[in-house]
């Protein structure tokens, strides 16, 4: 009774016969009489609603949770409707069991370049540990690494599904998009960069194959640029590239050994550990998707502009991410 009186004193608008003068939150007269009756008969002091048991749960039982778990584990590709029909459960009950009790969700298989064998996995681990050991012994190791690769840049590359998203109401018809292929007009970009930005880039001439002879000439240009631009690391810089045939040819290895240029080995079939694949080329191409560039000159000028627009902080973050992936 004391608690109820204090509550009413603190809220003078809680009860009044003329409810039009107050908000809709005021207690109705019938409810007030009901409270007064319970106070007199049972000595109740609290005005909050008492807890109720509610509707009993009949479908979401421990037995049904086990049934759902066993059935899903027996065939993880079963459709929701098939499981509901087999177990005789409603969609709501099945969804609560699957998400809340079993904490499961249906996911797609992730597409990868190649399913690695155990030997390739061991090689991937060993090479990652080797680079991490260099970083541990020399914290500035990644700052001396110059990584590079080559990639095709197309005159037209269709935009992604996410890029084509538009805001519409529920009554608007869904947009349709034809399946388009990449343009036959393209240019090969060879690019090298470090933690400070783009170090060297060039476009391969039309009809020129990127073989060991061409790549050797590119490396010679890169070596001379290092001597001219970064003389402080001209004797300590490290080259990082992938293991395609033109990069691992005997003539390339002899050239690097003659010039005393060490190489940070790249695990095979591991684009997720290559900064060019996980950062640079992906960033350039995402901005060029959906744009008709027209000519080779426009392709090269657009790529050059995009490369210049990348701030130094993003290159530094790329190297931090590279270390984390390693």
């Amino acid at each position: 009774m004391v608690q109820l009186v204090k509550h009413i004193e603190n809220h003078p608008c809680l009860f009044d016969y003329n409810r039009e003068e107050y908000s809709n939150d005021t207690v109705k007269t019938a409810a007030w009489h009901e409270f007064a009756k319970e106070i007199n008969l049972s000595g109740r002091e609290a005005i909050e609603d008492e807890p109720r048991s509610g509707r009993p749960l009949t479908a979401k039982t421990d037995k049904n949770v086990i049934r759902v778990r066993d059935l899903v584990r027996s065939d993880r590709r079963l459709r929701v409707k098939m499981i509901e029909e087999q177990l005789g459960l409603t969609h709501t009950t099945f969804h609560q069991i699957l998400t809340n009790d079993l904490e499961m969700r249906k996911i797609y298989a992730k597409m990868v370049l190649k399913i690695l064998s155990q030997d390739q996995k061991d090689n991937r681990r060993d090479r990652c540990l080797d680079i991490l050991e260099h970083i541990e012994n020399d914290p500035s190791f990644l700052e001396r690494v110059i990584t590079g690769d080559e990639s095709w840049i197309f005159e037209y590359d269709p935009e992604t599904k996410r890029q084509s998203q538009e805001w519409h109401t529920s009554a608007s018809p869904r947009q349709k998009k034809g399946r388009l292929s990449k343009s036959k007009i393209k240019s090969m970009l060879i690019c090298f960069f470090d933690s400070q930005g783009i170090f060297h880039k060039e476009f391969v001439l039309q009809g020129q194959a990127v073989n060991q002879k061409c790549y050797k000439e590119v490396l010679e240009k890169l070596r001379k640029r290092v001597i001219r631009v970064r003389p402080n690391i001209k004797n300590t810089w490290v080259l990082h590239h992938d293991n395609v045939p033109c990069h691992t040819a005997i003539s390339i290895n002899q050239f690097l050994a003659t010039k005393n240029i060490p190489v940070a080995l790249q695990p095979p079939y591991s684009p997720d550990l290559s900064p060019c694949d996980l950062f640079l080329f992906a960033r350039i191409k995402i901005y060029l998707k959906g744009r008709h560039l027209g000519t080779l000159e426009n392709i090269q000028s657009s790529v050059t502009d995009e490369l210049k627009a990348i701030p130094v902080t993003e290159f530094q973050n790329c190297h931090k991410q590279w270390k984390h992936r390693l």
Side-chain angles (χ1 to χ4, degrees):
M1 186 63 179
V2 176
Q3 182 180 357
L4 178 61
V5 172
K6 289 183 178 180
H7 189 77
I8 295 175
E9 291 176 350
N10 294 331
H11 300 80
C13 298
L14 183 65
F15 162 73
D16 195 274
Y17 285 95
N18 188 7
R19 300 183 69 249
E20 295 180 355
E21 298 179 1
Y22 303 100
S23 64
N24 294 329
D25 296 333
T26 56
V27 181
K28 295 181 179 180
T29 305
W32 167 254
H33 287 299
E34 186 67 25
F35 286 145
K37 182 179 178 181
E38 292 189 11
I39 290 171
N40 293 331
L41 297 179
S42 60
R44 177 181 175 183
E45 296 182 357
I47 63 174
E48 290 81 8
D49 292 335
E50 294 181 350
R52 296 179 295 177
S53 59
R55 184 177 179 180
L57 298 176
T58 56
K60 189 180 175 182
T61 61
D62 294 340
K63 182 179 179 180
N64 284 337
V65 172
I66 296 175
R67 292 172 61 200
V68 172
R69 183 194 62 191
D70 295 341
L71 184 60
V72 172
R73 287 182 176 179
S74 64
D75 186 357
R76 297 183 180 272
R77 294 192 176 186
L78 283 174
R79 299 179 61 183
V80 173
K81 189 175 181 180
M82 298 172 59
I83 299 176
E84 293 173 357
E85 292 177 353
Q86 291 188 33
L87 300 181
L89 300 176
T90 64
H91 179 78
T92 302
T93 302
F94 169 74
H95 185 267
Q96 290 178 352
I97 292 176
L98 203 64
T99 57
N100 298 336
D101 297 288
L102 300 179
E103 297 181 352
M104 299 179 71
R105 60 191 180 97
K106 204 168 188 179
I107 59 176
Y108 297 98
K110 181 179 180 181
M111 299 298 295
V112 295
L113 182 64
K114 179 182 175 62
I115 302 297
L116 300 182
S117 64
Q118 188 58 46
D119 292 339
Q120 291 171 333
K121 291 180 181 179
D122 294 340
N123 184 19
R124 174 183 167 98
R125 178 201 60 205
D126 294 340
R127 294 191 176 184
C128 289
L129 291 176
D130 182 62
I131 298 178
L132 289 175
E133 184 178 356
H134 281 85
I135 296 174
E136 184 178 357
N137 296 333
D138 182 7
S140 63
F141 175 77
L142 286 184
E143 298 178 2
R144 295 185 286 104
V145 174
I146 299 177
T147 180
D149 202 355
E150 57 271 349
S151 180
W152 284 110
I153 307 296
F154 294 88
E155 183 274 333
Y156 175 76
D157 194 358
E159 62 183 4
T160 63
K161 188 175 180 180
R162 180 178 293 275
Q163 287 178 315
S164 64
Q165 288 180 325
E166 296 179 353
W167 289 106
H168 290 280
T169 63
S170 58
S172 301
R174 185 170 182 177
Q175 298 296 313
K176 294 182 179 180
K177 174 181 165 183
R179 186 179 296 275
L180 301 175
S181 58
K182 298 179 180 180
S183 173
K184 293 183 179 179
I185 302 176
K186 56 185 179 179
S187 179
M188 174 69 76
L189 168 69
I190 301 179
C191 189
F192 292 87
F193 69 95
D194 62 358
S195 60
Q196 302 302 317
I198 301 298
F199 213 91
H200 174 73
K201 72 165 182 62
E202 64 178 88
F203 294 93
V204 181
L205 298 176
Q206 292 296 304
Q208 171 67 52
V210 183
N211 50 26
Q212 51 184 307
K213 179 181 178 181
C214 174
Y215 191 64
K216 183 178 179 180
E217 295 175 356
V218 173
L219 290 180
E220 178 62 21
K221 296 177 184 177
L222 175 64
R223 187 185 70 85
K224 293 180 179 179
R225 180 166 177 80
V226 172
I227 297 174
R228 184 174 67 256
V229 178
R230 298 280 294 278
N232 58 320
I233 63 169
K234 64 179 182 180
N235 297 323
T236 59
W237 71 283
V238 180
L239 174 66
H240 174 267
H241 55 196
D242 58 16
N243 44 24
V244 296
C246 67
H247 294 177
T248 57
I250 296 177
S251 60
I252 299 298
N253 292 331
Q254 291 176 346
F255 171 80
L256 296 174
T258 303
K259 303 300 181 180
N260 296 320
I261 302 175
V263 178
L265 298 178
Q266 166 73 11
Y269 305 108
S270 300
D272 59 321
L273 296 177
S274 174
C276 287
D277 291 318
L278 65 91
F279 165 67
L280 186 65
F281 293 149
R283 192 187 191 284
I284 296 174
K285 293 179 181 181
I286 198 65
Y287 287 106
L288 299 180
K289 283 182 177 292
R291 294 168 52 184
H292 287 277
L293 302 177
T295 62
L296 291 175
E297 291 75 13
N298 291 339
I299 295 175
Q300 297 176 5
S301 62
S302 298
V303 171
T304 302
D305 293 340
E306 292 296 337
L307 291 175
K308 291 180 179 178
I310 303 177
V312 177
T313 54
E314 293 199 16
F315 289 100
Q316 296 172 349
N317 292 333
C318 170
H319 278 64
K320 292 180 181 178
Q321 185 183 7
W322 185 20
K323 179 181 177 181
H324 176 73
R325 287 173 176 265
L326 290 170

